[in-house]
Amino acid sequence: MSAVDPDGDGTSAAHEGRPHPTTNGVSHHPDGPFALPQHALNFSGQSPHHGDFLSASESAIQKRIALLCLEGQTDSADWRTPLAFTQKRHLELIEGYENSVDSWRVKDRMKTVSVALVLCLNVGVDPPDVFKPNPCARLECWLDPAALGTQKAVEAIGTALQKQYERWQPRARYKQSLDPTIDDIKKLCISLRKSSKDERVLFHYNGHGVPKPTVNGEVWVFNKNYTQYIPLSVYDLQNWMGVPSLYVYDCSNAGIIVESFLQFANSHQEEYEYHRKNFPDDTKEPPQQYGTCIHLAACANGQELPSNPLLPADLFTSCLTTPIKTALRWYTLQNKTRLLPEITLEMIDKIPGQMNDRRTMLGELNWIFTAVTDTIAWNSLPRDLFHRLFRQDLLVASLFRNFLLAERVMRSYKCSPISYPNIPHSTAQHPMWDAWDFTLDACLCQLPAVLEGADYVYSTFFTEQLTAFQVWLTYGSEERMPPEQLPIVLQVLLSQSHRLRALDLLGRFVDLGPWAVNQALSVGIFPYVLKLLQSSARELRPLLVFIWAKILAVDDTCQSEIVREGGHKYFLDILTDSYLPVEHRTMAAFVISKTFAENAAGQEIGLKDNVIAICLEQMAEPRGTLRQWVAITLGVMWTKNAQARWAAVRDSAYEKLFPLLHDPCPEIRAAAVFALGTFVGNDADRSDHANAIDSVIGMQLTNSCCEDASPLVRKELVAALQWLILHFEGQFTSVAYQTEEEERVRDSGITIFSPKDNDGVDKRSPENHMSFNHHKRAPSSALPGMPQHQSTTTPLRHGTVFQNVWKVLLNCSRDPFPAVAKSATSVTQRIRGKFASLPVSPLINRSDSDTPDRGSPKFGCTVTGLGDSGSPPTKTVPPSKLTNAIPKPADVPAALVNLHRFARTRKLFDAGPNQDDDVDEDMAVKATDAIVTSQFVKWCSKSFTLPMMKLREEQDVSANAHYQREWKFMRNHVVRNSSLVDTENAGPPRYDTQIFINRNLEVPSHVLFDPLEPVIYVADRNQISVWNYEKSFRVGSFPNSHPRPYRISDMTLINAHDSPFLLVAADDGSVRAWKNSSSTEKRSEDLVTAWQALPEVLPTTRGSGVVFSWEPPTQHLIAAGDAKIIRVWNMTAEQKVIDIPTRLDCSVTTLSSEPTGSNGVFAAGYQDGSVRLYDRRCSAADAQIMVFDGHASAVVSTKMPDHVLHHKLYSGSVDGDVKLWDLRLPNSVSVIKTVSGMSTMDVHARAEVICCGSVNQTANVYSFLGAQVSSIRHYDGFMGQRIGSVSSVAFHPFKVARS
């Protein structure tokens, strides 16, 4: 037991003692066997068996929990009791995902449009510095020059080489230069560069008939008569070719050409730097970036080309242009084990099929080769280099894939090909070459039979690689190396037979997180999945929409491509397909919203495709997440789009969004507020009818959301209402000025109105106190600067749009949740800044700091609708009547009369005197910018970046979080069982030994035990301290509210069985939930949620403030206090359930309800001594079901103890009477007389004892029979000091003292 002594500023705890041991376990729930509620994933996985997997996992966790309960290790109630305020909106910041990875898009995509084929063969004449053995390699482009005439051979080889290149780039312009001179090459290069402009030019040089390149950076050509070899400087070749260029050198000693080229490129840059430094006045253009040119050389410096007679002389060129034929021939020659002795080189040349037909043997080998080389490059190169060489240019990508083969083939003949940029030599030994060799083995073993007419059996290469990829997915994570099979998955998407499985595995991969999405985009998956949107196969829809949702959640820059290719229609079809699961339709709505977000061109196309009408049809879907994203999509569609807005008006879209403002899901309500906010925020020039619609929306938003318990919704409300502020800035300035002046006049004590105004309404009545108390105004003489010809006795109309919106924003500026208050303050400061320099009443001599808090109850959220019933206007309301609801500004200083001329183009009133148009335009520009921005949509999108197929921790029986919960619940079970006491045998426990005492920072007012940890929470006026009573030290301390402290009036611990949160109420009507409440330092992130639980609370100095009762099983909070109502909140939905009128002129001093909350009954104790019983399941008028009038003074406490007495209620009053009530009887069952002046009371939840604290400096413990068990009057120790007046006592929920 703990008692608080406010006068002595101390906190003491009486000895709990060790409870009697017990062998009884906690009984099972009386309603039947324990069953864990179903926890479905946000979205179902794409695997065909994933739903079964989830069901099996949920069944496994249920069996595990049932076993723990059956064995008596845990209590089923712990598993059944829901956790409050543990949704993502409570535990994380409302902000979007920022993709920090470099863009996957290839920069400076280009094409090779021109190809120069320079062949220096001089057939029949060998160069003087080359010794050729006999026999040696003779084939050029797979042709034997000796079998043709000299001139015909060169022409045939040139034609063959061109055809080989045309296979890779058929649309390029090809120019041959056979045995050329320097002038021929110069003309060729200059003409190709001129025609190619900024595109790439390829220069292929075959120097088999000329000497090797020189160390001076020269290659050889011929003179006109072919009698001499003429050197051609690479320096000159650089100037003629320009950039960008690609060079292929097929000759011995080719590496020296690359080295010389790079030296000359540096020389160009050095010359430019020297000239700029020494001749600064001479404007010389910077040199071209020759260092960006790409080079492929057959061998390194000092190396000779291989001369194997079984291979072509231009082996390097053959690898680059005919890779499959070269690879097959080389593999056959290298097959030392002779596993296929019957395969000959002649049979290799007869392999059937076409390269571009994957259904043939040759076509499949080419397809597999592409996948292998792409995979090797992906796993060996840096990402930027991979993008440059393998994704920027199709011809460059093809040549570099084939260059990887050249690396492998030519190194086997002690020849090292050279590339620039450099390709790592390790590619020649990459493990994927083993898979390629195995594929060749499997294919070539069929070759003899295939040549004789047998059917070709397709390779299992892709099936095996997909299996390897699937194995990686089983154990893959961001910490591991990316799967090397990812490029193969890309290739497999081209095959209809493998496509379904490939998309399934790709979906599982991108589900791992944003890093996986970036990996997939980086490898080049985007154009493939974009092309698949043209597919009509229904079985691909769930897979593609899942993948696209993942892609757009991470990177939404591809929205233009989706619209250009008409891909949005694919997702519209999914959205309207009622046969698909709602999860997939939700993903389609998300993709559509991302496609049209901030995309004007896309919005126009979407408008033509009836996106708004389609989305409105989905509003009836019972599953909430789809409605959320449909609302967001609508908001996105009409953002800054006048045509979309008027299309929505024709469909009454804004009215169809109104019901979502009352949806039980806070995210859906916030989405509806977002959509309505963007609707109002449209910048189009519109008529009075448009402004009337805005007024309807403004009233609906203020009426529906101003008292929402979710900060998520309230922050969106501020973001939505800011557009009304911006569009009607002048009108709001007038209203704000009047409100400020009326407050100053009211605070000065001047009375303007009689209790009853002309309308006969008594402004002093409680029902009208909140609506009228801040509309009183002073005479014109009291307000300097007011025009005398204007009336000063008629206030602005009550309940208008401007007044209601302004009141709501003022309340939000003092919101207990800091993020909401900050946003609202930014909005209100914009208006207050308009009249900050205007004169104020001379009656006011106090500073601004003395002005009462605008967040006080006089600025309550009570707003008046356009109709008497407060219901939203319907389509039957004429626009003229709606327009009349918007008032004209009156009774404001002359400086404010024409402020509404700044309202841009959306004016309801005259512009006033002629003004300079330039000023109006400037103001219009400023008004288009939002004052505050919202991250709500981006935060919602972030959920798609998280794994959806993976089991959540609460569903995974092997997760660490589940093991932690098991440990906590086992500990709970032990603590509960160890605290059970047999009161019949041992008698009532005594509390007469002090175990803890310490000084609090200020006078304590409330004390609370943690049921499972040795911690007590002590609250004073605004500070909460956390003490460890076993070790006698303060764990931490933190204030409940900032910047103005409010008195803490009640607090309790929720989620105590798992992750404790501290729920604290203050006398301003607010309730705050704190996590990590035992931390040594509090941060703003520790505030989980906060809201005005009782905004109607009246300001008093010593009243009840706000008292509440928390029902853990139902997640209901009942709040009352210094107000005329009792409000019931559903904190799962974060919505008000019902307002029950008290029908009394006194405050509610205490609330209590059954811990189970199963019957909906709760009791309220009043200051007049009455105790009233309510049933929240009834209507507000019939909720009061019993009145107990047994106390002569104010009720101090009411308790409905659990596990002790059912249908019983204890109440204690100031006169010292503790009464026991049977909820079924009007009279008390028994009365316990205690000490007069009772200030607090508590009833033990397990033991039959009551503790009563008194202002007479005593705390007494009584049994249920009325016998005094213990009395605490002094502190322990020598010369023990007398305790002060007791302000709060609390029993430990489980532990009891020894008798």
Side-chain angles (χ1 to χ4, degrees):
M1 188 192 73
S2 179
V4 174
D5 168 21
D7 296 336
D9 292 347
T11 302
S12 63
H15 178 63
E16 303 291 344
R18 180 172 299 176
H20 289 282
T22 178
T23 58
N24 297 328
V26 177
S27 62
H28 290 286
H29 194 271
D31 296 337
F34 167 72
L36 182 71
Q38 296 289 328
H39 295 284
L41 283 177
N42 292 334
F43 300 99
S44 62
Q46 305 306 312
S47 174
H49 305 292
H50 191 70
D52 298 336
F53 173 66
L54 285 181
S55 299
S57 300
E58 291 177 357
S59 178
I61 199 169
Q62 290 180 18
K63 290 179 180 179
R64 172 65 179 170
I65 295 172
L67 179 63
L68 292 172
C69 296
L70 185 63
E71 294 178 349
Q73 299 186 52
T74 62
D75 298 330
S76 61
D78 283 343
W79 297 102
R80 272 200 316 272
T81 303
L83 298 178
F85 308 121
T86 55
Q87 301 298 319
K88 290 183 178 179
R89 63 179 180 271
H90 301 122
L91 303 181
E92 65 182 26
L93 296 177
I94 306 301
E95 58 186 16
Y97 167 76
E98 297 295 337
N99 188 5
S100 58
V101 182
D102 293 339
S103 175
W104 51 271
R105 293 182 180 274
V106 178
K107 300 178 182 178
D108 303 326
R109 188 181 294 275
M110 60 180 63
K111 296 187 297 184
T112 300
V113 298
S114 301
V115 179
L117 302 177
V118 179
L119 303 180
C120 298
L121 296 177
N122 197 13
V123 176
V125 179
D126 292 335
D129 59 346
V130 176
F131 173 77
K132 294 184 178 180
N134 190 17
C136 66
R138 293 292 183 182
L139 298 181
E140 299 280 352
C141 295
W142 303 103
L143 297 177
D144 186 358
L148 304 171
T150 302
Q151 187 60 33
K152 291 182 179 181
V154 177
E155 294 176 356
I157 293 171
T159 302
L161 180 61
Q162 179 174 332
K163 290 181 178 180
Q164 291 174 186
Y165 268 108
E166 284 176 344
R167 181 187 174 279
W168 308 106
Q169 180 58 290
R171 297 184 179 180
R173 179 170 54 256
Y174 291 87
K175 290 292 184 69
Q176 300 178 22
S177 184
L178 310 178
D179 293 341
T181 63
I182 290 181
D183 292 336
D184 295 336
I185 293 179
K186 181 178 180 180
K187 293 178 182 178
L188 174 65
C189 294
I190 293 176
S191 64
L192 291 181
R193 171 49 59 197
K194 184 177 181 180
S195 61
S196 301
K197 298 182 180 178
D198 294 331
E199 297 292 347
R200 182 174 279 120
V201 178
L202 188 149
F203 182 86
H204 181 99
Y205 174 76
N206 184 323
H208 294 177
V210 293
K212 302 174 186 177
T214 66
V215 294
N216 295 325
E218 299 167 329
V219 296
W220 299 93
V221 293
F222 303 97
N223 63 359
K224 293 183 179 180
N225 298 324
Y226 300 98
T227 58
Q228 291 182 340
Y229 299 112
I230 306 299
L232 168 62
S233 174
V234 175
Y235 186 91
D236 295 331
L237 185 62
Q238 279 182 343
N239 293 328
W240 301 337
M241 284 288 293
V243 292
S245 299
L246 168 61
Y247 298 87
V248 178
Y249 311 110
D250 192 346
C251 60
S252 297
N253 201 32
I256 194 65
I257 305 177
V258 179
E259 295 175 6
S260 301
F261 189 98
L262 297 178
Q263 291 177 2
F264 293 146
N266 293 333
S267 298
H268 284 288
Q269 186 65 32
E270 291 173 359
E271 289 177 5
Y272 170 75
E273 296 294 340
Y274 176 82
H275 190 86
R276 189 182 64 172
K277 182 178 180 180
N278 293 280
F279 305 97
D281 297 335
D282 188 2
T283 57
K284 181 180 180 181
E285 293 184 0
Q288 300 188 65
Q289 299 297 319
Y290 295 109
T292 61
C293 293
I294 300 173
H295 304 266
L296 296 175
C299 59
N301 185 6
Q303 292 181 344
E304 299 280 347
L305 294 178
S307 57
N308 189 332
L310 299 177
L311 295 173
D314 58 347
L315 180 59
F316 182 67
T317 299
S318 298
C319 290
L320 296 182
T321 56
T322 56
I324 303 303
K325 185 175 183 178
T326 305
L328 287 169
R329 180 176 288 265
W330 178 80
Y331 179 76
T332 303
L333 295 175
Q334 295 294 314
N335 194 351
K336 298 178 181 179
T337 58
R338 309 305 299 172
L339 294 176
L340 304 170
E342 69 278 9
I343 303 300
T344 63
L345 295 179
E346 290 75 14
M347 296 173 66
I348 294 295
D349 295 333
K350 297 178 182 178
I351 292 179
Q354 300 293 327
M355 286 289 188
N356 55 0
D357 187 357
R358 295 192 298 270
R359 295 170 297 178
T360 64
M361 185 176 185
L362 192 61
E364 187 180 44
L365 286 174
N366 181 64
W367 183 28
I368 294 173
F369 176 81
T370 302
V372 169
T373 51
D374 222 30
T375 301
I376 294 173
W378 164 257
N379 288 283
S380 303
L381 302 182
R383 291 293 171 261
D384 56 346
L385 184 58
F386 174 82
H387 288 160
R388 179 186 175 193
L389 300 182
F390 288 84
R391 295 294 182 263
Q392 189 182 64
D393 187 325
L394 291 178
L395 180 57
V396 172
S398 300
L399 292 179
F400 267 91
R401 285 194 199 98
N402 302 339
F403 178 79
L404 298 179
L405 174 67
E407 276 268 359
R408 188 185 192 208
V409 170
M410 300 198 70
R411 283 184 178 278
S412 65
Y413 297 103
K414 300 181 180 180
C415 199
S416 303
I418 299 296
S419 68
Y420 183 83
N422 183 43
I423 297 294
H425 298 322
S426 59
T427 57
Q429 289 83 34
H430 196 277
M432 283 303 297
W433 286 121
D434 295 334
W436 168 249
D437 292 343
F438 178 79
T439 300
L440 292 183
D441 270 338
C443 292
L444 292 179
C445 70
Q446 302 181 56
L447 184 57
V450 170
L451 292 178
E452 293 178 1
D455 293 335
Y456 171 63
V457 179
Y458 295 111
S459 172
T460 60
F461 171 81
F462 289 109
T463 302
E464 294 165 352
Q465 294 300 316
L466 288 179
T467 301
F469 186 49
Q470 185 175 354
V471 172
W472 187 95
L473 288 174
T474 306
Y475 305 100
S477 64
E478 186 175 3
E479 290 74 23
R480 296 185 59 195
M481 292 292 293
E484 64 179 18
Q485 295 84 12
L486 195 57
I488 297 176
V489 177
L490 181 147
Q491 290 292 327
V492 170
L493 292 177
L494 302 172
S495 171
Q496 190 169 359
S497 59
H498 298 289
R499 185 174 297 157
L500 193 63
R501 186 187 181 195
L503 285 175
D504 177 42
L505 295 177
L506 180 61
R508 291 175 56 186
F509 177 70
V510 297
D511 189 54
L512 295 177
W515 67 272
V517 175
N518 281 298
Q519 290 280 352
L521 292 173
S522 181
V523 80
I525 210 76
F526 177 76
Y528 291 81
V529 292
L530 181 63
K531 189 67 175 178
L532 286 176
L533 295 182
Q534 309 299 325
S535 173
S536 60
R538 288 182 57 86
E539 64 271 14
L540 299 183
R541 286 185 173 185
L543 303 171
L544 285 175
V545 72
F546 182 85
I547 293 171
W548 272 105
K550 287 293 184 177
I551 292 175
L552 288 172
V554 175
D555 191 342
D556 58 1
T557 60
C558 49
Q559 55 184 192
S560 58
E561 287 93 337
I562 297 177
V563 175
R564 185 178 64 246
E565 298 295 331
H568 64 286
K569 297 180 180 179
Y570 186 87
F571 301 108
L572 286 175
D573 292 340
I574 295 177
L575 181 61
T576 56
D577 190 348
S578 59
Y579 293 99
L580 284 175
V582 68
E583 291 85 1
H584 300 144
R585 293 162 58 201
T586 302
M587 295 178 197
F590 166 72
V591 172
I592 294 170
S593 69
K594 279 293 189 177
T595 301
F596 297 136
E598 301 179 1
N599 184 359
Q603 288 174 342
E604 293 181 5
I605 296 175
L607 193 60
K608 294 178 182 178
D609 292 330
N610 297 321
V611 171
I612 293 179
I614 291 174
C615 289
L616 291 176
E617 292 174 358
Q618 308 302 317
M619 300 291 285
E621 170 60 44
R623 295 286 291 272
T625 314
L626 177 58
R627 296 201 307 276
Q628 173 187 341
W629 279 105
V630 164
I632 291 175
T633 303
L634 289 173
V636 165
M637 273 299 299
W638 55 53
T639 299
K640 299 181 181 180
N641 191 314
Q643 295 181 354
R645 173 188 165 99
W646 286 113
V649 171
R650 289 191 293 270
D651 290 338
S652 300
Y654 63 95
E655 292 184 353
K656 295 177 181 178
L657 284 170
F658 288 164
L660 296 187
L661 298 176
H662 306 281
D663 195 275
C665 177
E667 286 83 358
I668 295 178
R669 300 199 299 272
V673 174
F674 162 78
L676 292 172
T678 56
F679 188 92
V680 174
N682 202 286
D683 295 331
D685 295 336
R686 291 175 286 171
S687 62
D688 285 347
H689 177 250
N691 295 326
I693 293 175
D694 283 354
S695 71
V696 172
I697 295 175
M699 291 298 294
Q700 187 67 36
L701 286 173
T702 54
N703 286 330
S704 302
C705 302
C706 68
E707 293 183 348
D708 201 290
S710 173
L712 187 70
V713 178
R714 299 199 304 274
K715 189 173 181 181
E716 279 304 303
L717 176 64
V718 173
L721 295 181
Q722 71 170 325
W723 297 112
L724 290 173
I725 295 289
L726 290 172
H727 293 327
F728 305 109
E729 198 168 22
Q731 288 76 16
F732 277 104
T733 304
S734 301
V735 170
Y737 183 85
Q738 280 190 273
T739 303
E740 294 282 333
E741 286 298 291
E742 289 164 2
E743 278 300 306
R744 292 189 176 99
V745 172
R746 188 185 66 82
D747 296 336
S748 68
I750 297 178
T751 302
I752 302 300
F753 292 113
S754 63
K756 290 191 176 182
D757 209 348
N758 295 332
D759 55 4
V761 178
D762 190 351
K763 306 305 186 296
R764 297 177 300 179
S765 63
E767 292 79 4
N768 295 284
H769 173 79
M770 307 309 302
S771 298
F772 290 91
N773 65 355
H774 65 283
H775 291 297
K776 301 178 181 179
R777 299 140 38 87
S780 59
S781 60
L783 296 175
M786 297 273 290
Q788 297 300 319
H789 64 277
Q790 293 184 343
S791 171
T792 60
T793 59
T794 303
L796 288 175
R797 290 181 55 188
H798 303 300
T800 62
V801 179
F802 300 140
Q803 287 177 318
N804 286 332
V805 169
W806 185 248
K807 286 191 294 184
V808 170
L809 287 173
L810 287 177
N811 279 276
C812 289
S813 67
R814 299 296 182 182
D815 195 274
F817 199 78
V820 179
K822 181 179 179 181
S823 297
T825 301
S826 299
V827 176
T828 55
Q829 285 300 327
R830 181 184 180 96
I831 297 300
R832 284 172 168 158
K834 297 293 182 182
F835 58 83
S837 59
L838 294 177
V840 298
S841 172
L843 297 174
I844 309 302
N845 55 9
R846 64 179 66 187
S847 62
D848 289 343
S849 60
D850 296 328
T851 302
D853 187 1
R854 299 300 189 272
S856 61
K858 57 179 171 290
F859 282 92
C861 287
T862 302
V863 294
T864 307
L866 293 179
D868 294 337
S869 63
S871 59
T874 61
K875 291 186 289 188
T876 59
V877 179
S880 60
K881 292 184 179 181
L882 296 178
T883 306
N884 292 336
I886 302 176
K888 294 183 179 180
D891 313 324
V892 294
L896 295 177
V897 171
N898 295 316
L899 267 178
H900 50 269
R901 68 182 179 83
F902 297 126
R904 294 161 54 206
T905 57
R906 304 183 53 186
K907 305 183 181 73
L908 298 182
F909 317 108
D910 296 335
N914 293 331
Q915 304 292 338
D916 188 0
D917 292 338
D918 293 337
V919 176
D920 232 356
E921 292 176 1
D922 292 341
M923 294 301 297
V925 171
K926 294 180 181 178
T928 57
D929 298 330
I931 305 173
V932 295
T933 57
S934 169
Q935 291 280 316
F936 169 70
V937 176
K938 293 182 178 180
W939 174 76
C940 293
S941 303
K942 188 168 65 172
S943 65
F944 288 90
T945 66
L946 305 176
M948 298 179 183
M949 298 183 188
K950 184 180 178 181
L951 286 174
R952 297 200 303 268
E953 288 188 336
E954 62 267 26
Q955 294 175 308
D956 188 0
V957 71
S958 62
N960 289 334
H962 178 76
Y963 287 129
Q964 291 175 2
R965 294 196 77 195
E966 279 192 10
W967 179 87
K968 288 180 181 179
F969 293 171
M970 290 178 182
R971 175 204 60 181
N972 299 353
H973 179 77
V974 172
V975 172
R976 293 190 186 104
N977 278 5
S978 63
S979 65
L980 293 178
V981 60
D982 187 355
T983 56
E984 294 182 359
N985 298 327
R990 297 183 59 84
Y991 296 85
D992 51 14
T993 304
Q994 177 179 295
I995 63 171
F996 169 77
I997 181 172
N998 217 315
R999 292 281 179 178
N1000 201 51
L1001 297 177
E1002 293 185 19
V1003 177
S1005 59
H1006 296 82
V1007 65
L1008 184 67
F1009 272 102
D1010 189 304
L1012 302 166
E1013 299 288 343
V1015 169
I1016 57 174
Y1017 301 87
V1018 181
D1020 49 47
R1021 178 174 177 82
N1022 185 51
Q1023 197 81 6
I1024 299 171
S1025 300
V1026 186
W1027 298 87
N1028 186 312
Y1029 58 80
E1030 286 186 353
K1031 299 182 178 179
S1032 299
F1033 75 95
R1034 190 175 68 185
V1035 179
S1037 178
F1038 61 96
N1040 181 55
S1041 59
H1042 287 290
R1044 177 176 177 178
Y1046 294 98
R1047 178 174 60 89
I1048 295 175
S1049 55
D1050 203 355
M1051 71 175 182
T1052 191
L1053 206 61
I1054 62 175
N1055 304 342
H1057 66 293
D1058 195 330
S1059 301
F1061 287 3
L1062 195 62
L1063 207 59
V1064 183
D1067 63 354
D1068 66 336
S1070 65
V1071 173
R1072 293 171 173 83
W1074 298 91
K1075 67 177 180 179
N1076 301 329
S1077 52
S1078 59
S1079 300
T1080 55
E1081 294 183 4
K1082 301 309 298 177
R1083 303 178 304 274
S1084 59
E1085 291 83 4
D1086 291 335
L1087 181 63
V1088 178
T1089 188
W1091 78 102
Q1092 286 290 338
L1094 204 64
E1096 294 83 1
V1097 66
L1098 300 176
T1100 60
T1101 56
R1102 298 185 61 85
S1104 302
V1106 175
V1107 294
F1108 63 84
S1109 177
W1110 173 255
E1111 297 179 356
T1114 62
Q1115 302 285 287
H1116 279 70
L1117 183 138
I1118 306 166
D1122 298 321
K1124 303 302 181 182
I1125 61 170
I1126 300 173
R1127 179 162 294 180
V1128 182
W1129 293 91
N1130 180 350
M1131 297 318 300
T1132 300
E1134 298 186 64
Q1135 278 183 312
K1136 179 178 68 176
V1137 177
I1138 189 173
D1139 280 347
I1140 302 174
T1142 62
R1143 300 189 182 95
L1144 294 176
D1145 292 330
C1146 58
S1147 302
V1148 176
T1149 56
T1150 177
L1151 284 171
S1152 63
S1153 59
E1154 285 191 344
T1156 59
S1158 57
N1159 57 10
V1161 175
F1162 65 92
Y1166 287 84
Q1167 199 169 16
D1168 66 352
S1170 65
V1171 178
R1172 297 170 186 259
L1173 200 63
Y1174 298 90
D1175 191 336
R1176 54 180 167 81
R1177 297 169 296 181
C1178 301
S1179 65
D1182 302 327
Q1184 181 176 301
I1185 59 176
M1186 186 76 74
V1187 177
F1188 305 118
D1189 289 327
H1191 291 288
S1193 57
V1195 178
V1196 172
S1197 177
T1198 57
K1199 295 292 180 180
M1200 291 185 179
D1202 192 20
H1203 303 301
V1204 178
L1205 296 173
H1206 295 288
H1207 308 294
K1208 298 297 188 295
L1209 169 68
Y1210 278 95
S1211 63
S1213 61
V1214 174
D1215 58 10
D1217 289 345
V1218 176
K1219 295 190 176 185
L1220 173 63
W1221 307 88
D1222 189 317
L1223 302 183
R1224 297 162 293 186
L1225 302 175
N1227 298 320
S1228 61
V1229 175
S1230 63
V1231 179
I1232 301 174
K1233 293 290 186 176
T1234 68
V1235 180
S1236 178
M1238 183 191 299
S1239 58
T1240 180
M1241 183 192 79
D1242 194 20
V1243 179
H1244 202 289
R1246 292 177 176 268
E1248 297 181 359
V1249 290
I1250 304 171
C1251 182
C1252 301
S1254 172
V1255 296
N1256 298 323
Q1257 298 176 285
T1258 181
N1260 298 325
V1261 180
Y1262 301 88
S1263 68
F1264 279 8
L1265 300 178
Q1268 180 172 320
V1269 177
S1270 302
S1271 180
I1272 304 173
R1273 298 176 181 273
H1274 300 83
Y1275 297 116
D1276 283 358
F1278 180 72
M1279 299 292 291
Q1281 182 182 351
R1282 181 72 181 267
I1283 67 173
S1285 299
V1286 181
S1287 60
S1288 179
V1289 295
F1291 282 108
H1292 193 283
F1294 303 135
K1295 296 180 180 181
V1296 292
R1298 288 184 298 179
S1299 299

